[in-house]
């Protein structure tokens, strides 16, 4: 590990200490406005490393929706021109402390996690600009941001599911999928 990587780890520990959740578990916490700052810091850290390989970044997931309770893990979308040309992006992300995780449920992305399995702090999806993954994540985030009642209903469902599936992240995620899909269907019909 290089000195700069050591500095990056300390930076996250010092600035993003409210982030982190053990892999496979579900715990929701009240929205923390510093989640946006944690996203911005991560983009600032990654942008110079990824350079021309990336065409954009998006803060997605529940931490990107003001007021919405969430798992304390920041979701980052890294947008690329061509997903089949991301081996260098994957190498850079690995060097920056990310672990690539297979994700068969989402065919148009490469998925990475940051932090030890006992304390994941960031999830990062590499996908093509305009892909289904990109459109769906941004559309869902924007729908929740635009409609406080919809966000409140999503939070109610998430809290009930988190209680029922505290140690079963996959079951929690699967149980949310019908709600998410209904919101995306409404977005598509607009």
């Amino acid at each position: 590990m290089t000195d700069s990587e050591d500095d990056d780890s300390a930076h996250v520990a010092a600035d993003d200490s409210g982030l982190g959740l053990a892999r496979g578990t579900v715990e929701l916490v009240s929205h923390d406005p510093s989640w946006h700052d944690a996203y911005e810091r991560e983009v600032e850290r990654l942008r110079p490393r990824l350079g021309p390989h990336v065409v954009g970044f998006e803060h997605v997931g529940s931490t990107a929706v003001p007021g919405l309770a969430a798992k304390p893990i920041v979701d980052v979308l890294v947008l690329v021109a061509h997903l089949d040309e991301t081996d260098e992006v994957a190498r850079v992300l690995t060097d920056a402390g990310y672990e690539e995780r297979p994700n068969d449920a989402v065919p148009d992305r490469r998925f990475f996690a940051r932090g030890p399995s006992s304390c994941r702090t960031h999830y990062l999806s590499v996908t093509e600009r305009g892909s289904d993954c990109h459109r769906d994540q941004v559309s869902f985030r924007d729908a929740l941001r635009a409609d406080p009642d919809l966000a409140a209903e999503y939070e109610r469902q998430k809290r009930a599911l988190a209680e029922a599936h505290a140690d079963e992240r996959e079951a929690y995620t699967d149980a949310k999928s019908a709600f998410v899909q209904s919101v995306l269907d409404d977005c598509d019909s607009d």
Side-chain angles (χ1 to χ4, degrees), residues 13 18 36 39-40 56 58 72 88 113 115 117 130 142 147 173 188:
H36 179 73
Y39 161 78
E40 290 289 338
E58 293 274 2
E88 179 63 14
S117 62
D142 291 351
D147 187 341
T173 301
D188 288 343

Side-chain angles (χ1 to χ4, degrees), residues 14-76:
D15 292 339
D16 300 334
S17 60
L19 292 177
L21 191 61
R23 182 174 173 218
T25 64
V26 180
E27 179 185 345
L28 300 180
V29 298
S30 296
H31 183 83
D32 185 338
S34 71
W35 290 337
H36 179 73
D37 297 335
Y39 161 78
E40 290 289 338
R41 281 190 300 277
E42 191 65 0
V43 169
E44 287 175 23
R45 186 178 83 90
L46 294 175
R47 187 182 309 274
R49 293 173 184 214
L50 293 170
H53 301 290
V54 171
V55 296
F57 293 88
E58 293 274 2
H59 184 194
V60 295
S62 293
T63 62
V65 180
L68 183 62
K71 296 184 307 292
I73 302 171
V74 173
D75 287 294
V76 179

Side-chain angles (χ1 to χ4, degrees), residues 138-181:
V138 170
S139 293
F140 187 68
R141 176 202 66 197
D142 291 351
L144 294 177
R145 284 178 173 175
D147 187 341
D149 292 334
L150 181 66
E153 176 58 28
Y154 185 51
E155 181 171 327
R156 280 190 293 279
Q157 288 195 20
K158 286 179 17 162
R159 287 192 182 280
L161 294 170
E163 188 174 316
H165 303 290
D167 294 317
E168 303 169 305
R169 175 88 57 91
E170 190 171 328
Y172 166 81
T173 301
D174 290 346
K176 292 187 314 179
S177 65
F179 182 89
V180 172
Q181 190 57 55

